[in-house]
Amino acid sequence: MSWQAWATVAVIALAMALFASEKLRIDLVALLVLATLVILGIVTPVEALSGFSNEATVTVAAMFALSLGIERSGALEPLSRWLMRIRRPWLLTLALMLAIAPLGAFVKNIALVATFLPLALRVCQRTHTPPGRVLMPMAYAAQMGGVCTLIGTSSNLLADTLAQKHGMAAFGVFEFTRMGVILAVVGILYLMLVGRWLLPRHIDAEMPEQEDIGKYVTELEVTEQSSLVGGSIADAKLGERYGVYPLELLRGEKRMWSPRSQEIAVGDVLLVRGDWEKIEEFQRRTGLRNAPDRRYAKGDDRSRVMVELMVAPASPMESRRLDETGLNWRYDAVALAIHRRGQLLRDKLSDVSLAVGDVLLVLVDDDALSNLRNDEAFIVLSEREETHRTPRKAFYAAAIMAGVVVASGLHWLPIPIAAICGAIAMALTGCFGRKDVYEGIDWKIIILLGAILPLGIAIERSGLSQELVQMGLGVVGEHGPLAALLMVYLLTALLTELMGHNPSVVLMVGIAVSVAHAMKVDPRPFVVAVAFAAATSFATPVGYPTNTMVYYAGGYRFTDFMKVGIPLILIFCALSMWLIPKFWPF
């Protein structure tokens, strides 16, 4: 191999290690790859920047805006209200998968899971069901739906764009639908009949009924008008009367040595634990006020919303105290209470070091809520007060999304143009705010796509692609194109678990096309294999963003995804080997 090929191998190996380690953000890794290729002279500066004007990159950005309009307009709320009526855990799991899979074909997977995650948690809490029994199938269903259309996931769009660069005809919007629907139906049946028995049993043992997301610890200050002044905690019988349990009595910076028998004075702070509704009722009836709210709130004349925030996986807020998160000065938000599953906190809120999976009850300005939703450090689980949404906007958003699908599906407009027009229409009809569209786009994904695409050029130009093809054909031998197709599928699936779905598509599409040409068969089925293998990543919590979102919320272990996901990948692989040659003959 030439030195350029060896250098490209080194860049790929380094990128894979960095993607897998998660020590650097995925967009920064992609930019490092891009800069290295330019410095080594393997790609030109013009080629290096071509990824940012690529059709796939532009389309994904526009699809982010369309998904944002669907989410912010409340178009999914009727479905959410219907799902809230379900009481049986197995039926909730099935209903969520049947609802999310079709929506995933047109709405961004991350937005879907973020929308239904709080709903699933609330139903699990009400029915005393461990969330781990529900959330993983929900995340998998979003991926199954995403692969059903060309616009369902960014990796499909990327595979189509790269295939066209190799001289292939563009894929249709619904060209993947027949096979995608079959895989989704089989996947849902597997999860209901087999996968549910592989889901972790340890979650059931570790989650007693009273330990749910509503058991918060908060600080309440005693006012002059409080009925508790002059009495003791023991006399007040807070648990019996209000269902609220005192943990500590704080006076200034001191903890009282005998909190239950100590006489309560004006200015004392009670550290209490309980359901938030009961805490609010106790606060109102005894004349207390929320201590964090008094310290940080800047005014009462603005519309404020109470939300539940979960500290996200790999959050920079991990191990930080509340006053170090910047919630109060970045969003004028007030952290009122905190919940940590499986642990009873007894520290003042200001002294608690946050951990991944902690849930904060936060009071935030309605205007700042959209910014908070786009903060990668947190996941907004629910709103205690619904933001005002009108049915008219929901209708507009649904109609515009349908128009985009029809216009692109019937080839009236190219997919990027249809998506851009749809985003403009949603902005003009008020489906999202003027600034929301910029805040709602996941720029990490856009930068990743733009910066990683030139790696495909480097693989082709350096001759690495041909070297890898010859090695692959040596492994396949004389077993024919089906064996080569299986090799491409399995290699893509493995790379996806290590690197993520978009980088694996960039690496594999060129190789898949070269393998097909070497075997003198149509490259189209090989590109389809890459697209499906990359878009269905079930074996690890880091292979796909939706898996990561439910990882902590469901209390899973890393191996739980392997137990449920690896058999599902093998089932999909076997079905793909049967279906791809039928729908896209060699």
Side-chain angles (χ1 to χ4, degrees):
M1 290 194 301
S2 65
W3 74 266
Q4 290 96 336
W6 283 113
T8 304
V9 170
V11 170
I12 293 172
L14 178 61
M16 290 177 61
L18 290 175
F19 279 127
S21 69
E22 297 185 295
K23 291 183 178 179
L24 295 177
R25 285 173 33 149
I26 57 173
D27 52 340
L28 181 56
V29 174
L31 288 172
L32 284 173
V33 169
L34 179 65
T36 304
L37 293 175
V38 175
I39 291 172
L40 294 176
I42 300 175
V43 298
T44 67
V46 173
E47 291 169 335
L49 298 176
S50 63
F52 293 98
S53 60
N54 187 276
E55 287 188 7
T57 307
V58 175
T59 305
V60 169
M63 293 304 296
F64 272 118
L66 292 172
S67 295
L68 181 70
I70 293 289
E71 179 188 357
R72 297 287 171 83
S73 67
L76 299 178
E77 285 184 3
L79 178 59
S80 299
R81 287 194 294 268
W82 178 77
L83 290 171
M84 281 292 291
R85 300 175 184 174
I86 297 175
R87 298 285 178 176
R88 297 176 182 269
W90 70 268
L91 186 57
L92 173 65
T93 303
L94 178 60
L96 280 171
M97 289 194 291
L98 292 178
I100 287 176
L103 289 171
F106 308 104
V107 181
K108 183 165 60 82
N109 292 340
I110 298 174
L112 269 181
V113 174
T115 299
F116 286 99
L117 178 60
L119 180 148
L121 289 174
R122 288 198 297 272
V123 176
C124 288
Q125 176 185 340
R126 190 178 63 232
T127 58
H128 306 291
T129 302
R133 311 292 295 174
V134 176
L135 299 187
M136 189 187 296
M138 181 180 75
Y140 286 173
Q143 295 182 53
M144 295 177 198
V147 80
C148 287
T149 65
L150 186 63
I151 61 175
T153 179
S154 56
S155 55
N156 284 1
L157 288 165
L158 195 55
D160 177 54
T161 298
L162 294 173
Q164 290 182 56
K165 287 191 172 183
H166 285 86
M168 295 171 54
F171 287 94
V173 172
F174 297 105
E175 191 165 342
F176 294 159
T177 303
R178 288 182 299 172
M179 179 171 158
V181 169
I182 294 173
L183 293 182
V185 170
V186 172
I188 290 173
L189 288 174
Y190 161 80
L191 290 169
M192 292 303 300
L193 300 177
V194 179
R196 62 189 299 236
W197 305 109
L198 300 175
L199 286 169
R201 293 290 176 182
H202 64 271
I203 294 179
D204 295 284
E206 292 180 359
M207 287 191 63
E209 290 185 0
Q210 69 270 22
E211 280 292 326
D212 56 51
I213 211 169
K215 297 292 185 180
Y216 286 101
V217 173
T218 190
E219 300 171 14
L220 300 176
E221 184 179 2
V222 180
T223 66
E224 294 180 357
Q225 295 78 28
S226 174
S227 60
L228 300 181
V229 174
S232 68
I233 292 176
D235 294 336
K237 298 180 179 179
L238 304 184
E240 297 176 13
R241 294 179 181 176
Y242 308 103
V244 174
Y245 302 93
L247 303 175
E248 297 286 350
L249 180 62
L250 311 173
R251 185 165 292 165
E253 296 297 322
K254 297 181 180 178
R255 297 174 183 265
M256 306 311 294
W257 67 274
S258 181
R260 293 191 60 81
S261 61
Q262 184 71 40
E263 183 177 305
I264 299 173
V266 175
D268 286 351
V269 173
L270 286 171
L271 192 68
V272 300
R273 177 177 180 269
D275 292 322
W276 186 252
E277 290 78 6
K278 294 180 179 179
I279 291 175
E280 285 185 315
E281 176 67 15
F282 165 63
Q283 178 184 347
R284 185 167 53 252
R285 291 174 60 182
T286 55
L288 304 179
R289 62 184 172 194
N290 198 284
D293 192 18
R294 182 181 66 83
R295 286 199 298 268
Y296 299 122
K298 297 180 181 179
D300 299 323
D301 57 340
R302 288 163 297 176
S303 174
R304 297 172 77 81
V305 182
M306 193 173 293
V307 299
E308 288 175 320
L309 294 181
M310 186 177 75
V311 180
S315 171
M317 301 304 164
E318 186 178 4
S319 300
R320 294 189 185 183
R321 297 198 304 270
L322 281 175
D323 57 355
E324 297 173 334
T325 62
L327 282 172
N328 58 327
W329 58 266
R330 290 167 65 196
Y331 306 110
D332 191 21
V334 183
L336 302 178
I338 187 171
H339 165 81
R340 180 172 294 168
R341 197 191 74 184
Q343 184 175 344
L344 181 59
L345 299 172
R346 288 184 174 271
D347 295 323
K348 293 177 62 177
L349 299 189
S350 57
D351 295 335
V352 173
S353 295
L354 297 179
V356 170
D358 281 356
V359 178
L360 304 175
L361 196 63
V362 175
L363 194 64
V364 60
D365 278 358
D366 201 357
D367 294 339
L369 181 57
S370 60
N371 295 334
L372 185 56
R373 282 186 179 278
N374 296 305
D375 191 333
E376 64 178 10
F378 301 101
I379 296 173
V380 177
L381 295 180
S382 68
E383 298 176 25
R384 295 284 173 142
E385 299 172 13
E386 293 295 334
T387 305
H388 180 66
R389 292 166 174 166
T390 64
R392 178 173 52 85
K393 290 184 179 180
F395 172 78
Y396 287 158
I400 292 168
M401 176 62 85
V404 170
V405 172
V406 171
S408 55
L410 297 179
H411 303 288
W412 294 345
L413 290 173
I415 293 177
I417 303 303
I420 291 173
C421 291
I424 294 171
M426 283 195 178
L428 293 176
T429 53
C431 294
F432 46 71
R434 289 176 297 175
K435 296 181 180 179
D436 286 353
V437 64
Y438 299 104
E439 297 162 352
I441 293 175
D442 190 340
W443 292 105
K444 296 191 303 298
I445 301 299
I446 303 304
I447 297 298
L448 169 67
L449 289 175
I452 205 70
L453 276 168
L455 181 59
I457 299 175
I459 293 173
E460 294 293 326
R461 175 169 298 169
S462 65
L464 178 60
S465 176
Q466 291 301 319
E467 295 289 341
L468 293 174
V469 168
Q470 292 304 317
M471 292 173 57
L473 292 178
V475 173
V476 173
E478 301 296 326
H479 296 291
L482 188 61
L485 187 71
L486 176 62
M487 178 191 68
V488 168
Y489 190 103
L490 292 176
L491 184 56
T492 304
L494 176 62
L495 289 175
T496 299
E497 299 298 344
L498 296 174
M499 301 177 63
H501 58 305
N502 288 317
S504 66
V505 167
V506 171
L507 283 176
M508 288 302 302
V509 166
I511 295 172
V513 172
S514 298
V515 167
H517 287 159
M519 302 196 74
K520 299 180 180 179
V521 295
D522 189 349
R524 206 167 186 81
F526 289 82
V527 175
V528 172
V530 171
F532 273 82
T536 51
S537 171
F538 306 126
T540 69
V542 298
Y544 209 86
T546 55
N547 293 353
T548 308
M549 291 176 70
V550 302
Y551 180 38
Y552 288 97
Y556 298 110
R557 296 171 182 165
F558 195 96
T559 53
D560 293 332
F561 282 84
M562 298 178 67
K563 287 191 298 184
V564 181
I566 291 177
L568 185 55
I569 290 175
L570 294 178
I571 291 172
F572 275 27
C573 178
L575 284 173
S576 297
M577 295 305 102
W578 175 51
L579 293 173
I580 290 177
K582 287 183 177 296
F583 295 147
W584 296 274
F586 293 118

